[in-house]
Every structure is written in structure tokens, then in C-alpha cells.
Amino acid sequence: MNRAKHVTQLSRIFFSYLRRKKTCNYYPSRLWIEPTNRCNLRCKMCLNKELSQSDFGFMDVDMFKQIIDELTSHSYDIYVHHRGESLLHPRLAEMIGYAHSNKIRTRLHTNATLLDKDKSEQLLDSGLDFLSFSFDGYSKEEYESIRIKANYEDTLKNIKNFLTLKKERGASKPYVSFTVIEFKEHSPKERREFLKQFDGLPLNDVRIRKPHNWGGSYEDPGVNKDKSVFLPCTFPWYSLTIFWDGTVLPCPQDFFGKLKLGNVKDAPIFEIWNSDKMIELRTNMTKDSAPLLTPCNECDRIYRKGFLGIPLEGIKPFLKDNLFQKP
């Protein structure tokens, strides 16, 4: 899907959201597609460590291609990650390349601990559009207390090596972002001092996040608990999430799959997108109070201050990703 068609689709999504339409005659614009839910880290804020071994797996590449084949010409972009570290999937670059060849933009978040030279070259060759390094903390002590089992120096080296390789190639893609969840207050000076080490390297932006509660499954003192303002979630009109086994969910915050909509093995995505369960969710979101369905009723994101249905903290990256970032 090209940029002009995407802007038109965003307009349809926006008016469907404002009118609280129960069915949507368009495909979701953005999807989270999970190559694997396995991860090599045990980060303090991540629920991955609570999954049982029997829940772990890798998405079959043929299933991924089936998904992409249906989305072609209908969806703008996909996240090729969700609950795990996608670099663990041995055919990740092939999956990204297939989406790219079908003109679907691809976005990847990684902890970068596995990003060696071979994987860096594969990502650069794949046509990946957006790459975000999840790196929480500005010191060794803070980083390693959050990203359990990761090494501060090794991860930074991987990130710098990737950026150096991208620079040497003169590559314009992927757009590279550095994402930090701040669990405590940091001064602008702290951030500037840390980021100096990337001077001269093609790092496109830095995104500061606050922790969220994964649909009520995670609690942290920094998570918003102000329930004075209800902001209907945009996800039911905008996106879908697909686990590695084909299970479809309405939102990436539903970490444990409490609100299953169906499975791509059994039904087309568009059919699931307008299924009875999805209509019920959209109906719940049209009320003036918290929705009744779990986990939506426990999610902090419907209580964040927003503008036109978008949390204020997410408006800048949303506009940059959807309207102003180079295709």
C-alpha cells in the first residue's frame, strides 16, 4: 500500500472510530505478527517469563506468507515481533523480505543482544523499514537491573556495529529508533551524555516511554492509575495481533490471549476482523465507561490523556510513523 492510499485508509479508520461503527469495511491498517514468543532475556517489566514452556513456539513461514498474501494491497504495515525476541526465529529476514516484496512495510523491535554481523546484514538486505532498539537505562547498573541476562557493553556494541554497517553501505533503510522505558526520572543532561556515543551514526530518533500495565497483567508505580477520564481505545478500529500459532487478538496489550477472536488457520483475517466477538468489543468501547470485556477493563491505556482518541504521549511517533516518515 502506498502513502496516498494509506492516508485515505487512515481517514476511513478515523471516521469509523468517531462514529463508533460496529463493522468496518476495510482491513486493519497495522498488525502485530509474532514470529516467536521465545525470548533470551527476563526483563523485569515483561510478562514473557510467566509463559509456560508449552506455550512457546515459532510461526510457520507458510502461515506467515498466507497472512501477507491476504493483507497485500489492504494493510499498510506490520510489526514482526510481539511477546518474544524475533531475532531467535531462524527465518526472520525471509519473512520480512516476503512482506517487503508484497509492498507491506515492516517494523521490528529488538533487544539487540543477538544482533551479530550476520543478522545485521540480513536485516539490511531484507527491506526492513523500521528498526527500534529497546534499551532501558543510561548506565550499566540500571540497564542490567532491568534487562535481566543482558550485558550492557555487548548490547551497545551490537547496536553501534549495526549503525556503522548501515552507514558504510549508505543505506537509507531501516529508519532506526532508540526506545527507552524510563522507570524513574532522568534529566535531559543524562540522556544527552548517554546519546553522545551515537554521534556520527545514522540513529534517526530517540523515543522515551513510560511503563504500561499490559492490560492489567503488570503493575508498577510508574503506571498510570488515574481513571477520571475514559478514552475509548482505537485498536478495535485500527489493528489486529496474531500470535505465532495463528491465534488472532484485537490488541497487543492482551499478552496472555484472554480475548481470542479466532485463528487464521480457520478463517480469513477480514472475516475475523468483523466477527461477532469483534463487534461485541467495538460495542463495549462505545460506552461512556470502561468496557466490560477482559483484559480491556483492566488496561491503563483507556485512561490516558489523549487527543482524538490517541494517547498524548503517542501522538508524535504516530504522526511521524504514519504521515511524515519517508516511505
Side-chain angles (χ1 to χ4, degrees):
M1 178 185 291
N2 61 33
R3 181 63 58 86
K5 189 174 180 180
H6 177 52
V7 171
T8 300
Q9 186 185 41
L10 285 178
S11 298
R12 295 172 70 189
I13 292 169
F14 177 65
F15 285 110
S16 292
Y17 172 74
L18 287 183
R19 294 167 183 167
R20 305 295 191 258
K21 295 185 68 173
K22 307 302 186 297
T23 60
C24 299
N25 61 353
Y26 53 81
Y27 274 75
S29 175
R30 171 172 290 173
L31 293 92
W32 276 255
I33 303 176
E34 179 180 88
T36 182
N37 60 349
R38 291 185 178 275
C39 190
N40 59 319
L41 302 186
R42 292 293 179 266
C43 304
K44 77 171 193 177
M45 69 292 187
C46 185
L47 303 174
N48 183 277
K49 54 187 173 292
E50 297 181 26
L51 295 173
S52 67
Q53 286 291 326
S54 60
D55 292 329
F56 289 127
F58 294 89
M59 178 172 281
D60 181 80
V61 174
D62 287 338
M63 178 191 289
F64 179 84
K65 291 181 177 180
Q66 170 196 323
I67 294 168
I68 296 302
D69 288 345
E70 184 177 353
L71 298 178
T72 298
S73 300
H74 298 298
S75 298
Y76 182 63
D77 62 8
I78 60 171
Y79 281 94
V80 281
H81 74 276
H82 183 28
R83 299 174 296 170
E85 172 50 56
S86 294
L87 289 180
L88 286 167
H89 198 297
R91 299 175 67 181
L92 176 65
E94 178 186 347
M95 296 162 79
I96 294 171
Y98 189 80
H100 174 71
S101 68
N102 281 274
K103 296 181 172 54
I104 295 177
R105 292 168 61 87
T106 50
R107 305 168 63 84
L108 172 66
H109 285 255
T110 175
N111 61 41
T113 58
L114 304 174
L115 191 60
D116 57 21
K117 188 173 187 293
D118 285 344
K119 287 186 171 62
S120 294
E121 291 180 337
Q122 289 172 17
L123 291 182
L124 287 166
D125 290 338
S126 68
L128 180 67
D129 293 283
F130 179 95
L131 177 62
S132 175
F133 296 119
S134 297
F135 194 98
D136 305 320
Y138 303 112
S139 68
K140 179 179 176 66
E141 180 182 9
E142 183 181 11
Y143 171 80
E144 293 184 1
S145 71
I146 297 169
R147 296 275 165 175
I148 310 301
K149 299 180 69 173
N151 179 277
Y152 178 82
E153 293 85 2
D154 289 347
T155 308
L156 279 175
K157 181 181 178 181
N158 289 347
I159 293 171
K160 291 176 186 176
N161 286 346
F162 177 88
L163 291 170
T164 299
L165 185 59
K166 180 188 173 187
K167 182 177 181 179
E168 290 173 350
R169 287 186 173 206
S172 60
K173 295 197 310 182
Y175 183 98
V176 181
S177 179
F178 198 90
T179 302
V180 180
I181 298 176
E182 292 191 350
F183 290 88
K184 63 180 184 180
E185 292 299 319
H186 288 277
S187 69
K189 182 179 179 181
E190 282 182 280
R191 299 187 191 107
R192 285 196 302 270
E193 289 298 317
F194 173 82
L195 293 170
K196 279 182 180 178
Q197 61 191 302
F198 299 107
D199 287 351
L201 294 175
L203 180 64
N204 297 99
D205 73 21
V206 179
R207 303 187 180 191
I208 309 300
R209 304 288 198 205
K210 294 297 180 184
H212 59 81
N213 75 351
W214 283 113
S217 297
Y218 170 73
E219 289 296 331
D220 183 273
V223 172
N224 172 57
K225 292 183 174 65
D226 179 11
K227 295 187 177 182
S228 61
V229 178
F230 169 59
L231 178 69
C233 182
T234 56
F235 276 117
W237 287 270
Y238 175 56
S239 75
L240 286 176
T241 295
I242 304 176
F243 282 175
W244 68 268
D245 63 356
T247 300
V248 181
L249 305 134
C251 169
Q253 306 307 313
D254 187 2
F255 199 95
F256 296 108
K258 296 177 181 178
L259 194 54
K260 296 180 177 65
L261 302 174
N263 194 296
V264 296
K265 296 176 184 176
D266 306 319
I269 292 172
F270 190 75
E271 182 179 314
I272 296 172
W273 177 238
N274 284 302
S275 63
D276 290 343
K277 289 183 179 180
M278 199 65 177
I279 291 172
E280 181 184 6
L281 176 58
R282 293 186 185 120
T283 301
N284 264 268
M285 281 292 172
T286 64
K287 303 179 187 300
D288 294 326
S289 59
L292 301 175
L293 298 175
T294 302
C296 304
N297 53 1
E298 296 296 330
C299 186
D300 66 302
R301 288 185 174 265
I302 58 176
Y303 299 109
R304 297 192 176 194
K305 293 180 181 179
F307 177 72
L308 299 178
I310 304 170
L312 284 173
E313 68 182 62
I315 285 180
K316 184 178 179 180
F318 176 86
L319 292 175
K320 181 179 290 186
D321 294 346
N322 287 279
L323 300 177
F324 304 126
Q325 198 181 103
K326 292 181 180 180

